[in-house]
Amino acid sequence: PGFRQVSEGPQSDTGRIRAIEAASPELRDLRDVGRRMLLSRDPKEICRLLGEAVQRVMKAPRVAILLFDLSTRELAPPSLEHERALYPDKEVIDFAFHGGRPPILPNTAGTFLIVFPLQVTDHRVGVVSVDVTGIAEDVLRMNLDPVDALLDPGAVALVNASTVHRSVGESALLTNILDSITNGIITIDNDRRITRVNRNAMAMLE
């Protein structure tokens, strides 16, 4: 009897991803966390989702998401005593953005930390600071790819949320300025559509 060779067509990248996710609940969970972060416009919610996911993956006792101040380009100083234990020294922060697997380093509070960078292109957004005191040996043997998979969507989500909040704030400021002007003002865009009508213009049109 002869034999028949069966050839399969190439599997698409999407098909491979779905097959991998079907075999790994952890990857499905990471993808879901990334999607939820990107859909959120609340920085606190994004930080909560990211922090809980990293803590779950690394089985770490404590995780903190620390964001850079937009005006000073520095991490906001810790306000509470328990935050100091997770606050990395400046040298550790700078080292985190050099690339490669982050090392485990102590901070001035005596805590052993591993610090992951949050950045979009060259824009530093913040860091994920993980307390690994007591589990450092386990972390050294750990595959950190799942953590890396969370960093990019987390950073992009935080930048998007910041942009939206800034736009809303600027829009509210412009509205207040226009309403304080005694003349009636109507603004239009390039397609001659009305975009804003101040309070006095509204009164004239009524």
Side-chain angles (χ1 to χ4, degrees):
F3 71 92
R4 182 176 59 185
Q5 181 178 357
V6 179
S7 61
E8 297 182 357
Q11 190 178 22
S12 68
D13 289 342
T14 302
R16 288 194 192 94
I17 292 170
R18 287 177 179 168
I20 293 170
E21 288 177 346
S24 173
E26 182 184 60
L27 288 178
R28 288 201 306 272
D29 178 58
L30 294 178
R31 183 181 181 186
D32 181 60
V33 171
R35 181 183 60 82
R36 289 164 64 192
M37 287 192 295
L38 290 169
L39 289 174
S40 177
R41 292 296 177 263
D42 181 358
K44 290 184 179 179
E45 173 69 4
I46 296 167
C47 289
R48 184 189 68 79
L49 289 168
L50 180 57
E52 289 180 354
V54 171
Q55 186 173 21
R56 189 163 59 249
V57 168
M58 297 189 66
K59 298 179 175 60
R62 292 181 296 180
V63 174
I65 312 300
L66 307 171
L67 305 181
F68 284 101
D69 186 284
L70 292 177
S71 58
T72 64
R73 300 295 180 184
E74 300 287 341
L75 287 184
S79 56
L80 301 174
E81 187 60 34
H82 74 272
E83 293 178 347
R84 297 182 186 279
L86 288 164
Y87 194 86
D89 299 333
K90 186 178 185 306
E91 295 77 11
V92 177
I93 297 169
D94 291 338
F95 200 94
F97 287 92
H98 285 169
R101 183 184 175 102
I104 296 173
L105 297 170
N107 66 356
T108 52
T111 310
F112 284 91
L113 303 175
I114 185 167
V115 179
F116 300 92
L118 290 171
Q119 62 182 343
V120 178
T121 59
D122 294 330
H123 174 60
R124 293 186 177 188
V125 179
V127 297
V128 180
S129 180
V130 184
D131 179 4
V132 296
T133 306
I135 61 168
E137 290 187 6
D138 294 333
V139 172
L140 287 173
R141 296 189 296 268
M142 188 178 293
N143 177 11
L144 296 179
D145 288 347
V147 177
D148 290 337
L150 292 165
L151 299 179
D152 282 348
V156 170
L158 286 166
V159 169
N160 288 344
S162 175
T163 302
V164 169
H165 283 219
R166 189 163 58 247
S167 297
V168 170
E170 291 172 353
S171 177
L173 177 62
L174 179 58
T175 298
N176 289 336
I177 292 173
L178 292 177
D179 284 346
S180 68
I181 298 173
T182 56
N183 296 324
I185 296 178
I186 299 175
T187 64
I188 59 175
D189 61 17
N190 291 334
D191 296 322
R192 298 185 178 182
R193 292 175 298 195
I194 294 174
T195 57
R196 294 181 187 277
V197 180
N198 77 339
R199 187 178 294 121
N200 287 316
M202 287 289 295
M204 295 174 187
L205 294 172
E206 289 178 351

